[in-house]
Amino acid sequence: MSLRDIIIHPDPRLKKLCAPVADITPDLQRLADDMLQTMYAAPGIGLAAPQVGELKRLIVMDCVKKEGDPPRPMVLFNPEVTWSSEETNVYEEGCLSIPDQYADVERPAEVRVSWIDQTGTPQEEQFDGLWATCVQHEIDHLNGKLFIDYLRPLKRQLITRKMVKLKREKARL
Ligand code: K1U
Ligand code: ZN
């Protein structure tokens, strides 16, 4: 297993539609393991393949919050929202590709999601709370959408300018 570099916005790879995965090959299983390790190290509660430069429909997440509760690392290939609740939730979201920036985003409070797991088995589950927010945030990444795309243009531009400055400073080091 190895840590992958997380791509920082703005970057054209974060705006692309990712391709579905055909078979769960050993290379894809390794990518999923690397992504989980990268997510836990960041630390984060989710990560999508395009954030590490792989334009494939793969996300990982673990939204277990309570200290002492066992971790629940999840690997989702080709995740699809099959049902969304009318009821919505507002959650202050962050993104590992947009460090230190947070904003309220409104999304369906509950979603049902189908996917293929790491063994190639189809799965379907209903998510609520932080899990629902996170899985929608990660699936958005697979469609080239970032949480700042839900914000007013002025706020989005402000955050993007801050990220351009951050990337320039990092490149100088
Ligand atoms: O996709 C990502 O960039 C990961 C992102 C997921 C996410 C966070 C909040 C709402 C929706 C989706 C993160 O993990 S940002 C870091 C974060 O939220 C966190 C980090 C440490 C402990 C708890 C949360
Ligand atoms: Zn994100």
Side-chain angles (χ1 to χ4, degrees), residues 46 48 51 94-98 137-138 141 146-147:
Q51 293 180 277
C95 182
L96 297 175
S97 295
I98 310 175
H137 175 117
E138 301 310 333
H141 273 300
L146 301 172
F147 83 91

Side-chain angles (χ1 to χ4, degrees), residues 4-8 13-14 18 35 38 46-55 58-60 94-98 137-138 141-142 146:
R4 305 274 185 130
D5 286 334
I6 297 177
I7 292 168
I8 304 299
R13 289 168 290 182
L14 295 174
C18 294
M35 284 171 58
T38 305
L47 193 66
Q51 293 180 277
V52 295
E54 301 281 349
L55 301 183
L58 162 62
I59 66 174
V60 298
C95 182
L96 297 175
S97 295
I98 310 175
H137 175 117
E138 301 310 333
H141 273 300
L142 307 183
L146 301 172

Side-chain angles (χ1 to χ4, degrees), residues 9-73:
H9 165 75
D11 186 294
R13 289 168 290 182
L14 295 174
K15 302 305 295 172
K16 294 270 197 298
L17 180 69
C18 294
V21 160
D23 300 301
I24 314 303
T25 60
D27 274 356
L28 282 173
Q29 285 173 340
R30 210 165 303 122
L31 172 61
D33 288 340
D34 288 354
M35 284 171 58
L36 276 172
Q37 195 190 11
T38 305
M39 177 194 80
Y40 284 125
I45 55 170
L47 193 66
Q51 293 180 277
V52 295
E54 301 281 349
L55 301 183
K56 300 181 171 85
R57 298 192 80 80
L58 162 62
I59 66 174
V60 298
M61 55 181 192
D62 184 347
C63 299
V64 170
K65 269 193 307 192
K66 268 195 237 140
E67 217 160 292
D69 280 0
R72 190 188 178 200

